[in-house]
Structure formats: structure tokens, C-alpha cells
Amino acid sequence: MSSLQSAEEAVAAEVAAPVPRPFRRPWTLWSAWRRRWREEHPAAAGALSVTVTVLAAALVVAALVMPDKVVGLGPAKFLRIPAEAIVGAAVLLALPRRPRVVLAAVSGVALGAMTVLNALDMGFNQYLGRGFNVILDWELFGDAESYLEDSLGRTTTLAAVAGVIVAVVLLLVLPALAMVRLSNLLARHTAAATRGTLVAGVVWITCSSLGLEVAGVPVAADRTATALKAQVRQVSATLRDEAEFRKVARVDAFGNTPGSQLVPGLRGKDVIFTFIESYGRSAIEDPVMAPGVDATLDTRTKALARAGFHAKSGWLTSATYGGSSWLGHSTTMSGLWISNQQRYRTVMASDHLSLTEAFKKTGAFDTVGVMPGVQKGWPEQKWYGLDKVYNAFQLGYRGPKFSWSTMPDQYALQQYQERVHSKRPAGGRSRMSLLILTSSHQPWAPIPKMVGWDRLGDGSVFKGVEAAGNDPADVIADTTRSREEYGKSVQYSVTALTQWLERYGTRDTVLVFLGDHQPIARVSGNHASRDVPVSIVAKDPKVLDKVAGWGWTDGLRPAHDAPVWKMSSFRDRFLRAYGSTPHPKKD
């Protein structure tokens, strides 16, 4: 009896015990919930399904016809019939379920990747006047992040970077989901989808043949296919350019010229090459910036004349635009067209003679660089042939940064005077200096102001100036203010440099100063040239007599019709003008 009772109790306990529920994946739970919701709310479910499908189609079409430039961006750019959508629909209709879904997902990711590249092209065209290079330009993102941090602060920069990462992920995921959804729709309505695809194909061919347009934009589009072909051509050209440029860099008209035959016309002179950040033709000719900049150039020309200095000015076409200043510096000094980072690396690793190295090679010049924008190791010093370089941390500055610029140009020039220019080189030698001024670097807020030269001290005097200046975020977001403040920054840099020359220059001082590139396209305009002003200033008339045949304009402001040379031609013209004898080095 007891055994029977025990058995009954065991059975009862087993029946009463909770039955373990099998594990259900989140996707399964989501599908079950969705089915129940559809059954309970059929009208809302139908409306939502149609809305999501329409949005998916709109997303895919928008991505397929998305342009790569902000200029002319408008509704007409998106009201087009993409050939890729028609071909894609035809292919998906012909495939069984599994290959169809896989192809739709992969195509969606690829479309998202092309959308990211188009967005990068839009940004690069807007700021640098060129498209994004998928081989060379990835390393520029580090510079962009540093620039944002200097201009807007670390918190804002981190938020911006996080936002970009989220946007990229969404641009890769959403088109893939949209493509899968549309492919399923095609499969459920095969007959209607087939007829629709054929009609769309006929309409596209008709619009393309007749050249039909809406608001000047062709109705028939193959934007993504064209962009993909362009990317393939660019990759091929970039890889080919690397090999070709290596050969070009090994050829040098002055590569074998002995030091005794280099720049004999400048022996005994104190030669200074100075680059002014973003000092472009637009500063002198654009109606917004030009009045203030031109007045400054004319005023400073007269002031220098009273001090016994005279100038001649012309134009050089820079190898870069809106940024990458080092490309402009190296193009000027190498005599080679260094238009991308790959070429820059090639030249920096070569023994191609730089203009600054030419002075060192003579044995008659000490060579020095003042680089307030350099905040890390700078191995390029060797190629430039500089005996000594002062970077941002070696000039004793204790004042505030002005956005990206580590110190005002006036302070950097005063330090150059105290540390370099006021001291005579040993052994009766002359000096050649390379100065890179940074106060006119974007975002042009806050801008330094001139203070008494005897008040500069360690730069602390600029704390009040920086605090009273504009907020970078306000200027960056306003195109008109950016243009106005850019013009003021150029006025400041030119004034600081020419006041330094007026104050400290001697009969032996020869100043060559120029811009490295035009400001960003948003400031200089979408159709601006790549020209920058260049001036040679000296007190000794013999120095300017040697370039009298160049046709340059008297004074600091080059005339509109003054000669325009490629920046890469300057090195050889300068060397020849001052008596250097070519002894070519060939590949």
C-alpha cells in the first residue's frame, strides 16, 4: 500500500511540475508578435506595409541617382529613372528564392557603399575642390578629426565621429534591407513586376534616345554605373601614376649642379621663403574679401616703400586646393607637380633637389625652418635640407591657441627674429629660412589682432584677444561670415609679415612669400581657380632686376592679367634667375 501511494505521489508531482519551454530566438518572437499584430490590426498593418515598401523603393532610387556634388543639388536630381533599378529588377525576377535574397542583400550593401563614396565625393568637392580618392585619402580623416578637435573641442568632435559611424552603418544596412524587401515584393507579384519592368525599360530607352530633361537634368539616369566606372578608372590611374611619377622624380635639371654653381646671385643675402596659409587669388579678387585685402596690400606696399623695400608679384597655380598645404609647399620647393599624398611620399623619400636644399648645398648658407603648425615628428626636415627646425613647442609660446593655429603669426615672426634672424651665422655665412604662417587657417575664428611688437613677451598678451574673438562654430556654419573672416585673417597675416620686414629687414633681406592654396570651395566659390599670389620683396634693387623679365606686377598686389605659372615651375625659374647652372640628373 505504501509503495502504491509513493508511486501515485510521484506521478502527481510530475504532472504538477512546470514543463520547461523551449528556447525561442528573438527573431522568432518578433515574427510571432508581428503575425498577431497583423491579425488584430489588419488595416494599420496594410498601411504600414505599403509605407515601408514605398520608403524602401524611394531609398533605393535616391541612392542610385544620388549626385557627387552639392552644386545644383535639387529635387530634379532625384526625379530620374535609374537604369540600374530596371536591370536589377529583371535579374531578381529570374532567380529562385535563395540566390535572389542573397543577391538583393549583397547588392544593397554595395549600393550603400557607393552612397558613402558619393557622400565623400560631395564633401571633398565642397571643401577641397576634388573628389575622394579611395586609394589615397583615407589618412586625411585623422587630420580632419584633429582639425575639428582644435576648432570645436573634443566633446563635439567625439559626437561628430560617433554620428558619422552610425550614419555609415545605416547607409550599409538600410539599402540591404530595402533591396531584400523589394525583391520579395517582385517575387510575390511576378507577372505584374515583369510587365512593369518591361514598361520601365521602354520608357528609359525612349527618354535616353530623345534626351528628355526635367529642369535641365536628364530623365534617364545611369548615375551609379557611371560612378562605379569612374572609381575603377581612378583606382587604375592612381596605381599607374605611382610608377610613372617615380620615373619623373628621378629626373632633375639641377640634380648634378655643384654647390658652387647654385644661386650665386643671392650670395651674402638673407633669403626668407614664407608660405601664408590659404592665401589665394580669391582674397584679392572676390568682391566680398577683396576690398579689405587689396587695401591692406596697397597700404603695406607703400609702407615698405618708405622703408626702402620694393616688390614684384605674380600668380602661381597650386597643386592643391582648400587643404593639404604640404602639397603646395613641396610642389613649390621641388619643381614637381605633387598633387596627392602618394606623390608627396615618393618625393620625400627621394634625393630630388629642393629649392631650400639648394641653398644648403652651396655651403654658403645656414638653413632654418620655423614651423608653428608642426606638433609632432617631422622627418621631411631632411629632404628640405634644414639644419634646424623650430616646431610649435620650441618657440616658447604661453598664450592660447587660435582654433587650429597654435600661435599668432606675429608671435611666430617675433620668435624668428629673436632666435634666428637677429643672430649672424658662424663663419661669415648667409642664411636661408623657411617659414610657414598659420593664422589664416580655417575656420578663421577667432582671429588674432596686431599688438605692439615690444608687448609680445611669451604670448600671454593674446589671452584677451582670443577670448573676445568669434566662436568657431558660429563661423563654420555661416558661409558669408566664413568669407568675411577669411579675408580678415589674410589681412592680419600679410600685415604681420610685412610689418616684421619693415621693422627688422636689412639691405640684404630677400623675402619671397606666397599662398599654399586657395581657401575651401565654400569660401572661394565652386568655380574658383587654383591660383595663389606670390611676391618677391627686397631692398637691394639688383635682386628685383634679376626677375624684371618675368612680367610681374610692381607692389604686393599682382594685377589680374599678371603672368600665371604652374607652381611646379617656380623652382627652376628662381634658380635660373639667380644664376644657377643646370646640370641635369637623368633617370
Side-chain angles (χ1 to χ4, degrees):
M1 190 72 179
S2 59
S3 59
L4 179 60
Q5 183 178 4
S6 298
E8 290 176 348
E9 290 175 352
V11 171
E14 184 177 350
V15 171
V19 179
R21 299 178 64 184
F23 173 74
R24 304 182 71 183
R25 296 177 180 177
W27 181 254
T28 304
L29 293 173
W30 164 254
S31 298
W33 179 86
R34 189 172 58 174
R35 281 196 301 272
R36 288 198 305 272
W37 188 80
R38 284 177 176 174
E39 293 170 356
E40 295 172 1
H41 308 280
L48 179 61
S49 178
V50 171
T51 300
V52 172
T53 301
V54 170
L55 290 175
L59 174 63
V60 171
V61 171
L64 287 171
V65 299
M66 179 181 175
D68 62 354
K69 294 182 178 65
V70 176
V71 181
L73 187 64
K77 293 283 187 179
F78 295 95
L79 298 177
R80 310 174 70 190
I81 304 173
E84 301 87 353
I86 300 170
V87 174
V91 172
L92 292 173
L93 282 168
L95 294 175
R97 182 183 181 281
R98 187 178 296 275
R100 171 175 54 77
V101 172
V102 171
L103 179 61
V106 172
S107 299
V109 172
L111 180 58
M114 286 300 301
T115 303
V116 171
L117 290 179
N118 277 339
L120 289 171
D121 278 339
M122 294 175 78
F124 271 64
N125 279 310
Q126 184 72 354
Y127 283 88
L128 301 181
R130 64 174 177 83
F132 176 75
N133 189 306
V134 296
I135 299 295
L136 303 177
D137 287 337
W138 297 105
E139 62 188 81
L140 295 181
F141 291 118
D143 295 323
E145 182 181 357
S146 298
Y147 161 69
L148 285 177
E149 186 170 340
D150 290 331
S151 302
L152 303 177
R154 182 164 181 77
T155 301
T156 302
T157 300
L158 290 176
V161 171
V164 169
I165 293 173
V166 171
V168 170
V169 171
L170 289 176
L171 285 174
L172 294 176
V173 172
L174 292 180
L177 295 176
M179 286 289 291
V180 171
R181 183 178 185 86
L182 294 175
S183 71
N184 290 335
L185 179 66
L186 294 175
R188 287 197 301 271
H189 307 282
T190 303
T194 301
R195 290 193 299 271
T197 301
L198 291 173
V199 170
V202 171
V203 171
W204 190 94
I205 293 172
T206 302
C207 292
S208 178
S209 301
L210 298 178
L212 296 181
E213 297 181 348
V214 174
V217 179
V219 174
D222 57 354
R223 172 75 188 90
T224 298
T226 301
L228 182 59
K229 287 188 290 186
Q231 290 289 350
V232 171
R233 287 196 300 267
Q234 183 185 60
V235 170
S236 176
T238 299
L239 297 176
R240 187 170 59 251
D241 178 75
E242 179 179 9
E244 293 175 352
F245 185 72
R246 288 182 187 277
K247 297 178 181 178
V248 172
R250 286 196 289 265
V251 177
D252 190 344
F254 292 90
N256 289 325
T257 300
S260 60
Q261 297 179 27
L262 288 169
V263 291
L266 291 173
R267 301 298 169 88
K269 298 299 182 185
D270 189 4
V271 183
I272 306 166
F273 294 99
T274 303
F275 286 92
I276 296 179
E277 171 66 38
S278 300
Y279 179 33
R281 186 166 192 146
S282 296
I284 294 176
E285 296 187 346
D286 183 271
V288 173
M289 292 91 78
V293 173
D294 290 352
T296 297
L297 291 172
D298 293 343
T299 298
R300 298 312 304 156
T301 295
K302 294 175 183 177
L304 288 174
R306 289 193 295 270
F309 288 94
H310 298 279
K312 287 187 176 295
S313 302
W315 304 105
L316 299 176
T317 301
S318 178
T320 185
Y321 184 100
S324 302
S325 302
W326 55 92
L327 302 182
H329 305 160
S330 54
T331 294
T332 304
M333 294 298 159
S334 69
L336 297 169
W337 191 251
I338 306 177
S339 55
N340 59 51
Q341 192 66 16
Q342 181 173 269
R343 289 186 168 207
Y344 180 77
R345 288 193 294 264
T346 297
V347 171
M348 290 301 114
S350 75
D351 60 356
H352 192 92
L353 184 71
S354 67
L355 181 53
T356 43
E357 169 71 21
F359 282 86
K360 181 178 181 178
K361 191 175 179 180
T362 66
F365 290 83
D366 280 357
T367 58
V368 64
V370 176
M371 313 284 181
V374 173
Q375 302 180 61
K376 54 186 178 181
W378 197 61
E380 289 90 335
Q381 176 181 348
K382 179 181 179 182
W383 181 82
Y384 277 98
L386 301 175
D387 299 318
K388 170 69 176 177
V389 169
Y390 292 90
N391 65 26
F393 309 111
Q394 297 171 315
L395 295 172
Y397 185 62
R398 297 294 180 269
K401 290 182 68 175
F402 284 76
S403 293
W404 184 89
S405 181
T406 58
M407 66 192 69
D409 290 345
Q410 185 186 11
Y411 179 87
L413 289 162
Q414 181 63 28
Q415 287 299 304
Y416 168 67
Q417 173 63 26
E418 295 176 5
R419 297 170 185 267
V420 180
H421 189 256
S422 61
K423 297 176 172 59
R424 298 306 307 164
R429 294 194 294 178
S430 303
R431 180 183 292 111
M432 187 287 307
S433 306
L434 176 63
L435 280 63
I436 312 295
L437 302 182
T438 62
S439 288
S440 50
H441 193 287
Q442 60 175 307
W444 309 298
I447 301 172
K449 296 184 183 300
M450 296 296 295
V451 301
W453 288 86
D454 56 354
R455 295 179 53 221
L456 288 170
D458 64 0
S460 298
V461 68
F462 289 105
K463 291 181 180 178
V465 175
E466 189 271 342
N470 292 322
D471 187 332
D474 294 337
V475 175
I476 287 175
D478 189 324
T479 298
T480 300
R481 289 193 67 187
S482 291
R483 299 175 76 193
E484 293 171 348
E485 297 306 306
Y486 159 72
K488 293 176 185 177
S489 73
V490 170
Q491 293 177 57
Y492 167 80
S493 293
V494 169
T495 298
L497 178 60
T498 53
Q499 276 195 15
W500 173 88
L501 181 62
E502 182 184 2
R503 185 180 178 91
Y504 298 114
T506 70
R507 180 175 176 78
D508 291 329
T509 304
V510 178
L511 172 65
V512 181
F513 76 93
L514 66 155
D516 45 20
H517 53 71
Q518 284 265 51
I520 57 176
R522 189 168 57 83
V523 170
S524 60
N526 293 303
H527 303 290
S529 72
R530 292 175 175 255
D531 299 343
V532 299
V534 55
S535 301
I536 299 179
V537 191
K539 185 173 284 190
D540 185 349
K542 294 179 182 178
V543 172
L544 297 183
D545 288 345
K546 294 183 183 296
V547 298
W550 287 4
W552 283 15
T553 307
D554 290 333
L556 298 177
R557 178 157 61 105
H560 178 75
D561 59 351
V564 180
W565 304 336
K566 290 187 70 174
M567 187 177 270
S568 55
S569 71
F570 180 78
R571 187 204 71 160
D572 288 8
R573 288 178 183 268
F574 187 89
L575 288 173
R576 288 191 174 94
Y578 292 101
S580 304
T581 305
H583 286 278
K585 177 183 177 182
K586 300 180 179 179
D587 185 9

